[in-house]
Amino acid sequence: MWKDHEVQVDSILIANQSDTFVTNKVLEANLEYGGIPGDLHFGLTKLAGARETMYKRGTEIFNRRQISIVSAEECDLVAEKLGVERILPEWLGANIVLRGFQDLTRLTPGSRIVFPSGAGILCEGENLPCTQPGMVIQEQYPDKPKMAARFVKLALGCRGIVGIVERPGKIFTGNKAKVVVYNPPGQPCGV
Amino acid sequence: MWKDHEVQVDSILIANQSDTFVTNKVLEANLEYGGIPGDLHFGLTKLAGARETMYKRGTEIFNRRQISIVSAEECDLVAEKLGVERILPEWLGANIVLRGFQDLTRLTPGSRIVFPSGAGILCEGENLPCTQPGMVIQEQYPDKPKMAARFVKLALGCRGIVGIVERPGKIFTGNKAKVVVYNPPGQPCGV
């Protein structure tokens, strides 16, 4: 049911500029219920937007998109698919970059990422690619056509995950963390 | 990606007795962030237990098991598998019983259940069967052998789901609610 994998925290980033979701590297961060204080996506609640069309736009709802996590390997893969030299996690608004885990984007919801301090993040599943990061990528590669649309299409399945802070605590760049993978029993329930 | 299904709220229940997780029917309830006030599982946080072995037992963590939801159809299925006349949602500690949705237990995490008031629940996935409800079932059917162990085994895949209150609001018995099913794109991300 559960399987542990060791990964490395390659970098930690915060969206702390007022006019953009683009993140900046920091050496460490304090995970609190709601996310990383000072980060654009911090909060136990958020306003419903294009990703939550089951609610009226602007409705206050619980925030399941507190933390954005990507893998170094999948960033390379997205770059390869887009035919560009590199994709920085900053451009994706990522908060944590992990290294050493295959197919992070496919991590089953209910899985956890646990850090040496005891801090833990609950995986809420794939972060579906949207145009905003694609537009940032376009700015970086002005000679490449249609990068925003191509990002939305080609980064599907490899753009990382979102999660909820389950256990507060400090995280540090270089931490060896543990991905606790949830494998659903998947047993059919016919009589 | 998203598909709506109409369901009916068959009953609403609260665990409001001090010595048991067994729930009692009520006509209506107020969903708040954290669950249903007065219910045993209410709270934005909980203490880590046997289901959260990635944390030290007793650690305060975020509560993703705020609301327990079952379907009338799956309760009948569990009864059939156990060879008993019926399984009451009360015995399972269920908070909400839905009718009219196939395979509720297999509802993809990230799906929602939205009520006419606007209240909404975020699906956190399958509620894995454990022995406690099995022991309650055993008390109801003292002549049947090994009900607790059989429940844990046979109710796998049909014991319902747990969820987080995403949008507070009132819910009423008899409500027509909407299950907003999330179908992950599931696209492979190979180059």
Side-chain angles (χ1 to χ4, degrees), chain B residues 161-181:
Chain B
I161 58 172
V162 289
I164 293 170
V165 174
E166 188 174 27
R167 171 65 190 159
K170 279 219 163 190
I171 61 173
F172 297 88
T173 304
N175 266 173
K176 299 282 181 196
K178 203 166 58 177
V179 180
V180 184
V181 180

Side-chain angles (χ1 to χ4, degrees), chain A residues 31-168:
Chain A
L31 299 189
E32 293 186 8
Y33 294 123
I36 302 173
D39 180 79
L40 176 67
H41 294 99
F42 176 71
L44 278 170
T45 63
K46 57 166 283 184
L47 301 184
R51 292 180 186 271
E52 300 91 9
T53 51
M54 62 291 293
Y55 303 106
K56 199 179 152 202
R57 182 177 281 265
T59 304
E60 185 198 66
I61 60 172
F62 176 76
N63 180 16
R64 67 189 284 268
R65 301 177 50 82
Q66 298 172 9
I67 304 278
S68 160
I69 309 171
V70 302
S71 80
E73 294 85 350
E74 287 186 331
C75 284
D76 291 347
L77 180 57
V78 173
E80 195 175 339
K81 295 179 84 172
L82 291 175
V84 299
E85 195 190 342
R86 59 182 185 170
I87 293 292
L88 292 190
E90 284 86 339
W91 305 339
L92 308 182
N95 296 118
I96 298 173
V97 183
L98 299 179
R99 182 178 293 275
F101 191 79
Q102 282 287 325
D103 297 329
L104 175 71
T105 304
R106 293 279 173 247
L107 185 64
T108 320
S111 300
R112 269 72 165 206
I113 300 163
V114 182
F115 300 86
S117 68
I121 293 171
L122 167 66
C123 171
E124 283 288 312
E126 179 171 2
N127 190 3
L128 295 171
C130 66
T131 49
Q132 276 83 356
M135 285 157 65
V136 174
I137 297 167
Q138 180 69 81
E139 284 169 27
Q140 299 291 328
Y141 299 103
D143 298 341
K144 300 267 182 181
K146 297 185 181 174
M147 289 301 269
R150 291 182 68 225
F151 172 78
V152 170
K153 189 176 171 188
L154 297 173
L156 195 66
C158 45
R159 186 251 181 279
I161 58 172
V162 290
I164 293 170
V165 174
E166 188 173 28
R167 171 66 190 158

Side-chain angles (χ1 to χ4, degrees), chain B residues 1-183:
Chain B
M1 192 98 74
W2 299 99
K3 198 169 178 190
D4 289 4
H5 291 267
E6 194 184 272
V7 290
Q8 177 165 305
V9 177
D10 232 36
S11 44
I12 301 170
L13 310 98
I14 303 187
N16 55 2
Q17 294 174 262
S18 62
D19 55 345
T20 177
F21 64 87
V22 169
T23 46
N24 302 294
K25 279 190 183 148
V26 290
L27 283 177
E28 58 182 73
N30 206 21
L31 300 188
E32 293 186 7
Y33 293 124
I36 302 174
D39 181 80
L40 176 67
H41 294 99
F42 177 71
L44 278 170
T45 64
K46 58 166 284 185
L47 301 183
R51 292 180 187 270
E52 300 92 8
T53 51
M54 62 291 293
Y55 303 107
K56 199 178 152 203
R57 182 177 280 266
T59 305
E60 185 199 66
I61 60 172
F62 176 75
N63 180 17
R64 65 189 284 270
R65 300 177 51 80
Q66 298 171 9
I67 304 278
S68 161
I69 308 171
V70 301
S71 78
E73 293 86 350
E74 285 185 333
C75 284
D76 291 346
L77 180 59
V78 173
E80 194 175 338
K81 295 178 84 168
L82 290 175
V84 298
E85 195 191 342
R86 58 182 187 171
I87 294 291
L88 292 190
E90 283 87 338
W91 305 340
L92 307 181
N95 295 118
I96 298 173
V97 183
L98 299 180
R99 183 179 293 274
F101 191 80
Q102 282 287 325
D103 297 330
L104 176 71
T105 303
R106 293 280 173 250
L107 185 65
T108 320
S111 299
R112 269 72 165 207
I113 301 163
V114 182
F115 300 85
S117 69
I121 293 171
L122 167 66
C123 171
E124 283 289 311
E126 179 171 0
N127 191 3
L128 295 170
C130 66
T131 49
Q132 275 83 355
M135 285 158 63
V136 174
I137 297 167
Q138 180 69 82
E139 285 168 27
Q140 299 291 328
Y141 299 102
D143 298 341
K144 301 266 184 181
K146 297 186 181 172
M147 289 299 270
R150 291 183 67 225
F151 172 78
V152 170
K153 189 175 170 191
L154 297 174
L156 196 65
C158 45
R159 187 252 179 279
I161 58 172
V162 289
I164 293 170
V165 174
E166 188 174 27
R167 171 65 190 159
K170 279 219 163 190
I171 61 173
F172 297 88
T173 304
N175 266 173
K176 299 282 181 196
K178 203 166 58 177
V179 180
V180 184
V181 180
Y182 173 57
N183 291 304

